[in-house]
């Protein structure tokens, strides 16, 4: 029996008893998707905690989400619709009624849709501010589809890696983290586990207690690297070369699994000849690691029985990111580690979840329209044909995202958002950098105030989110805001009448066998459910790769057809010093602006207990700092031809030489100078998946005047 029937509103739920606990789900963009329990007393949430019974959450929440109540009840929460009265970017707004806001927004959007450029002049902009399927991929999508708006290609995070995995193993389906305790070697490769995926760590610890070694491959000595047996300080963007050299050694020293290769892979002879060119001596100057170190790593990997490679999205934010992921993903098939629990590679598990996203988003409602890549927002707003052909963008509707801080080439983005002839609507919890450029800001509910259901990308459990409290102020769920807008704009399809309960049922209408255990009833009863898979799930023990050939594809016919190298290779970054020596002479440091431990992208940056009194920082190697006359703690400028930001220098041995690390992503308006690291990043794309290259970014650092 459900704890409380879904038809009850959140306010009824909360007022029924003086104190109760409500099962929910952390909404944030993180592999861990925690099951969260909220204590509610007299209608007010008083505590959040991790579900102790959930195998992955294991009873704890991270540093950030432990502050979810401070965020929810923050004095700066947007509680009413607001209309801009100052200049764009100035942040001056006045309170208006929902009626006025929705009426005016509907009139403006209808005017644009029926104007000379048609509805494609309207661009939605959203990402994973909440990963909830209802608040992020349902009514909103229906609304823009039915309107005939331009489509958004949601590339800002993971598409390069997703393509890399797809080409080699076939899908975003990797090894199960719950197998890690059986691993005898764990490689944390391009991931800051303790920050970005902290609920993986207890499994790593168990493996270690049973004798496994844990290695971290990262240009930055992160807090994760500090906890590992070894830090392998690779040069940014060169992981493909390292993987090729490892395979060179595996084949040269007979450490491959010939039986697995013969039965479950395609193109092993071609792979063998390709990696023949990549001895450790060849890879050493590329990767910045010694040939001896590469060889011993390869031997350790080859002699392990069930090595677990956890790659994450950090290493694919370079021009060759997709090829790097594809190449690394070959390793467990060469050694046959896929056979055993704890062996294999994981980038994402999201491909296991068969929610009915088509029923939720209704792409069938859309006429054929153009697609705009979200990381090219700067171009889309400033070029007459949006950079892709067709009409200019005249209206931008932003929700679940903060593009004025997170999108690359920030100066271009702001130039676009400042346009007087651009109509901008932002659905938000807070007055973010982006909201400052809005014509209207609409107050949205948080996860404690609305229904949702979540998949995960780091484990195999689906989670239901029940509202714990009534919406604060006049806040509404995204679903309701788009329902209301659809009604105002006379969008007639009956699907706009679906309530959140109906949406939830639609999301779960599927015949996918993995979803057999994830039903409306199981979620209502337990709050979460494991996919219909054994624990641990060993996906490719007997092959069965979801590629066209059914094998692990070292040779990819699909890549050949796309005009790409069909074999694993090393694709250097766009801004690889050897490739662009003149640029590197001017801007010799590679800037990595990966997440700061206490922030979740830009979410939580405005929470005082998490930001503390800190400022943006940039870590430099002592040699690089000395060359520039930079002492620890001084203020510096970080810059290139795209832009600049200032930070406090942290000098030491926490990064490899040639690398600068600026923990991110700051709200620009909460830094001292109004800038952030994305002033320096570019709108260039990855080799496959048209993803961003945030860490493929040459800069110079100099003492501030
Ligand atoms: N606390 C916290 N957790 C988060 C997030 C957050 O902002 N804060 N963001 C969430 C989101 S949206 C995502 S996508 C994930 C991201 O989580 P991760 O995939 O772990 O990604 P990053 O932290 O971007 O990068 C991880 C590490 O990759 C390193 N790196 C950069 N370039 C290279 C390279 O070329 N090779 C190698 N080997 N390493 C490289 C960086 O130095 C960094 O330490 O985390 C999620 N979890
Ligand atoms: N330089 C640099 N840039 C990066 C990255 C990096 O590592 N370095 N990482 C990139 C990556 S991996 C990602 S995923 C993107 C992330 O970029 P975004 O997806 O834009 O993530 P956030 O900055 O967390 O912004 C999410 C916003 O959604 C809002 N929100 C949350 N829930 C709701 C809701 O229910 N309704 C509404 N209306 N709003 C809601 C939050 O208040 C927040 O302001 O950034 C990318 N940008
Ligand atoms: Mo991300």
């Amino acid at each position: 029996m459900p704890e409380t029937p879904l038809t009850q509103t959140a306010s009824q739920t909360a007022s029924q008893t003086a104190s109760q606990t409500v099962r929910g789900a952390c909404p944030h963009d993180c592999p861990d998707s925690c099951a969260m329990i909220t204590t509610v007393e007299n209608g007010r949430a008083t505590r959040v905690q991790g579900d102790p019974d959930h195998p992955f959450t294991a009873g704890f929440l991270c540093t950030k989400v432990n502050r979810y109540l401070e965020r929810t009840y923050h004095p700066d929460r947007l509680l009413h619709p607001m209309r801009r009265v100052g200049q764009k970017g100035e942040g001056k707004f006045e309170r208006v009624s929902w009626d006025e806001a929705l009426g005016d927004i509907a009139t403006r959007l209808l005017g644009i849709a029926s104007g000379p450029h048609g509805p494609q002049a309207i661009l939605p902009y959203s990402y994973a501010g909440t990963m909830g399927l209802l608040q992020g991929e349902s009514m909103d999508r229906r609304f823009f589809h039915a309107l005939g708006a331009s489509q958004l290609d949601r590339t800002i995070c993971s598409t390069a890696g997703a393509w890399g995995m797809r080409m080699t193993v076939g899908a975003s389906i990797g090894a199960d983290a719950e197998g890690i305790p059986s691993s005898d070697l764990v490689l944390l490769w391009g991931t800051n586990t303790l920050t970005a995926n902290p609920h993986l760590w207890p499994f790593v610890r168990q493996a270690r207690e049973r004798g496994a070694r844990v290695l971290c491959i990262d240009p930055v000595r992160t807090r994760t690297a500090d906890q590992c047996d070894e830090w392998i300080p690779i040069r940014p963007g060169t992981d493909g070369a390292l993987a090729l050299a490892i395979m060179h050694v595996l084949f040269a020293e007979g450490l491959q699994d010939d039986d697995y290769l013969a039965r479950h892979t395609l193109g092993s002879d071609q792979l063998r000849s390709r990696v023949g060119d990549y001895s450790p001596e060849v890879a050493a100057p590329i990767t910045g690691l010694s040939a001896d170190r590469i060889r011993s790593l390869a031997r350790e990997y080859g002699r392990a029985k069930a090595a677990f490679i956890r790659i994450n999205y950090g290493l694919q934010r370079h021009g060759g990111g997709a090829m790097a992921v594809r190449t690394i993903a070959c390793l467990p098939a060469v050694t046959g580690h896929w056979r055993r629990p704890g062996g294999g590679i994981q980038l994402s598990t999201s491909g296991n979840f068969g929610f009915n996203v088509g029923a939720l988003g209704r792409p069938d409602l859309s006429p054929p329209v153009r697609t705009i890549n979200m990381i090219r927002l700067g171009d889309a707003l400033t070029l007459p044909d949006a950079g892709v052909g067709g009409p200019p963008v005249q209206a931008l509707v932003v929700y679940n995202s903060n593009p004025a801080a997170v999108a690359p080439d920030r100066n271009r983005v702001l130039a676009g958002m400042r346009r007087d002839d651009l109509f901008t609507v932002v659905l938000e919890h807070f007055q973010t950098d982006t909201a400052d450029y809005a014509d209207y800001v609409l107050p949205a509910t948080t996860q404690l105030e609305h229904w949702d259901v979540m998949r995960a990308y780091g484990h195999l459990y689906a989670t239901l989110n029940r509202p714990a409290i009534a919406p604060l102020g006049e806040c509404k769920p995204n679903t309701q805001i788009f329902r209301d807008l659809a009604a105002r704009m006379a969008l007639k399809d009956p699907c706009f009448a679906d309530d959140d309960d109906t949406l939830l049922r639609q999301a779960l209408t599927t015949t996918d066998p993995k979803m057999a255990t994830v039903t409306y009833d199981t979620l209502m009863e337990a709050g979460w459910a494991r996919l219909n898979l054994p624990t641990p799930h060993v996906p490719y023990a007997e092959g069965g790769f979801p590629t066209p050939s059914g094998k692990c594809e070292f040779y990819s016919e699909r890549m050949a057809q796309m005009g790409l190298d069909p074999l694993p290779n090393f694709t250097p970054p766009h801004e690889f010093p050897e490739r662009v020596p003149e640029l590197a002479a001017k801007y010799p440091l590679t800037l990595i602006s990966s997440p700061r431990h206490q922030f979740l992208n830009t979410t939580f940056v405005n929470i005082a207990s998490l930001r503390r009194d800190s400022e943006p920082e940039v870590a430099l190697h002592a040699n690089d700092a000395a060359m520039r006359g930079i002492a620890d703690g001084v203020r510096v400028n970080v810059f290139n031809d795209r832009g600049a930001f200032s930070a406090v220098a942290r000098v030491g041995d926490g990064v490899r030489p040639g690398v600068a690390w600026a923990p991110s992503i700051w709200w620009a308006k909460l830094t001292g100078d109004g800038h952030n690291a994305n002033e320096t990043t570019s709108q260039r794309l990855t080799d496959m998946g048209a993803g961003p290259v945030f860490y493929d970014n040459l800069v110079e650092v100099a003492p501030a005047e």
Side-chain angles (χ1 to χ4, degrees), residues 88-165:
K88 290 199 174 188
E90 205 184 353
K92 284 201 186 132
F93 286 79
E94 65 180 6
R95 180 174 170 182
V96 292
S97 69
W98 271 109
D99 197 45
E100 214 180 331
L102 291 172
D104 198 22
I105 294 167
T107 306
R108 294 289 299 270
L109 294 181
L110 281 173
I112 291 168
S114 60
H117 296 304
Q120 291 194 71
I122 300 169
L123 179 67
Y125 198 94
S126 75
Y127 199 64
T130 167
M131 294 211 299
L133 293 170
L134 305 193
Q135 306 307 333
E137 304 182 41
S138 71
M139 253 332 140
D140 52 313
R141 307 291 173 104
R142 292 178 182 185
F143 175 78
F144 294 108
H145 287 147
L147 205 57
S150 288
Q151 305 239 13
L152 186 73
D153 197 4
R154 291 177 170 82
T155 52
I156 202 162
C157 178
S158 61
T159 46
W163 273 83
M165 287 301 278

Side-chain angles (χ1 to χ4, degrees), residues 13 23 32 94 99 243 328 418 437 455 477 544 550 587 589 680:
T13 308
R23 284 179 178 284
D32 298 3
E94 65 180 6
D99 197 45
I328 297 168
R418 233 177 258 125
Y437 290 84
R455 53 165 99 81
Y587 301 120
L589 300 170
T680 58

Side-chain angles (χ1 to χ4, degrees), residues 40-120:
V40 182
E41 293 172 72
N42 300 312
R44 192 177 168 93
T46 53
R47 184 177 182 201
V48 288
Q49 60 195 116
D51 185 342
D53 298 326
H54 189 282
F56 209 77
T57 303
F60 73 97
L61 295 175
C62 65
T63 317
K64 310 165 300 288
V65 179
N66 268 321
R67 268 71 165 195
Y68 204 76
L69 298 183
E70 187 180 340
R71 185 175 190 276
T72 303
Y73 293 115
H74 197 290
D76 297 342
R77 257 301 284 284
L78 290 164
L79 298 176
H80 316 283
M82 307 286 270
R83 176 167 56 204
R84 183 170 55 81
V85 290
Q87 296 295 309
K88 290 199 174 188
E90 205 184 353
K92 284 201 186 132
F93 286 79
E94 65 180 6
R95 180 174 170 182
V96 292
S97 69
W98 271 109
D99 197 45
E100 214 180 331
L102 291 172
D104 198 22
I105 294 167
T107 306
R108 294 289 299 270
L109 294 181
L110 281 173
I112 291 168
S114 60
H117 296 304
Q120 291 194 71

Side-chain angles (χ1 to χ4, degrees), residues 382-393:
T382 53
L383 299 176
D385 63 351
V388 295
V393 174

Side-chain angles (χ1 to χ4, degrees), residues 120 145 148-151 363-371:
Q120 291 194 71
H145 287 147
S150 288
Q151 305 239 13
D364 56 295
L365 294 174
S366 177
V369 293
R370 69 175 175 189
T371 298

Side-chain angles (χ1 to χ4, degrees), residues 364-421:
D364 56 295
L365 294 174
S366 177
V369 293
R370 69 175 175 189
T371 298
I372 290 178
N373 185 336
M374 70 189 297
I375 64 181
R376 307 287 305 276
L377 182 65
D379 282 351
L381 296 180
T382 53
L383 299 176
D385 63 351
V388 295
V393 174
Q394 295 179 300
L396 181 70
V397 182
V398 180
Y399 57 100
N400 302 347
S401 185
N402 186 8
V406 306
D409 200 359
R410 179 165 191 266
N411 283 316
R412 281 299 279 277
V413 173
L414 295 188
M417 298 198 77
R418 233 177 258 125
R419 272 173 43 204
D420 277 331
D421 59 341

